[in-house]
Amino acid sequence: MVLLDGQQSDGSFGVHPYQKWTGAHWRLVSLVELGITSGSGVAVRATNLVLEWLLGEAHLRNIPKINGRYRRCASQEGNALAVCSRLGLAEDPRVSKLAESLVSWQWSDGGWNCDRDPEADHSSVNESLSTLWGLVEYRQATGDRDFLKPIERASEFFLRHRLFRSDHTGEIIHPDMVKLHYPLYWHCDILQELMILSRAEKLRDPRTREALDIVEKKTGPDGLWHAEDYYWNMKRKASTKLKVSNVEVVDWGRKGPNEFITLNALRVLKSSGRKYL
């Protein structure tokens, strides 16, 4: 498997676990989303490096509490928690520590943020989505009901924003949020939000309807979904633009269909009750 190419005997890949985009952290996220078998030895070896990094003394010293809020890029711990839970490691005390830490760092609005500006008091969608995913996977793996309330609060954070709109002005938080990407790395878009909310069993909430409409209308003429942008350098081509509920929808029909985006779009549309599968 290409994602495991170059793995060394200690489970590493010769770089820091968070090296973009070749470190163990990112490889594991992709492997888990692609359905690697729980307990896979090569994947478990790689998790050791990630856990050593996230629970190391140097890392833990760099989590400040400013103006009553922990300022942490919690998507890192969130991804690691999801990966370890999927790989059968949820009972490992190190993994439990990640889960407990995320709950203790949760902001009053239900999300997380690493902004060290003392005046910053609103969570980040980018830092909160993978974190919600991690808590959902950990709760499912352990059955621990103590995590239901933090999951509920984090889900409500996204639902209150209708996934991509400011809860103050109603404007789109960022135009990239209504584009489709794969892989997302630490970023957030409406399709991935719908996927995580589906796993949290929140997809039937009426506040997901607009995001579902947008994803549904992005189907290409071939009946598949296409990547609209990438988080790596790639030559862009001109696109055709449409309007759906005042949201710009880009038709990148000249690009090939993206299998993973198509699979996730079908998954969320089916889970929402829209008959696609």
Side-chain angles (χ1 to χ4, degrees), residues 84-86 88-91 135-144:
C84 290
S85 297
R86 285 273 194 98
L89 301 173
E91 301 296 338
L135 292 176
V136 167
E137 296 291 349
Y138 183 76
R139 159 76 179 94
Q140 183 173 335
T142 63
D144 192 334

Side-chain angles (χ1 to χ4, degrees), residues 22 49 56 58 76 84 89 102 189 211 243 258 265 270:
T22 58
L49 277 298
Q76 296 173 356
C84 290
L89 301 173
L102 289 175
D189 71 18
K243 287 284 183 177
N258 184 290
K270 180 184 179 183

Side-chain angles (χ1 to χ4, degrees), residues 112-125:
W112 294 261
N113 202 334
C114 54
D115 191 338
R116 298 193 180 199
D117 180 350
E119 301 304 313
D121 61 1
H122 191 285
S123 292
S124 159
V125 291

Side-chain angles (χ1 to χ4, degrees), residues 74-75 78-79 81 102 112 127-136:
S75 63
N79 276 328
L81 181 61
L102 289 175
W112 294 261
E127 292 305 331
S128 300
L129 187 59
S130 295
T131 313
L132 171 57
W133 179 40
L135 292 176
V136 167

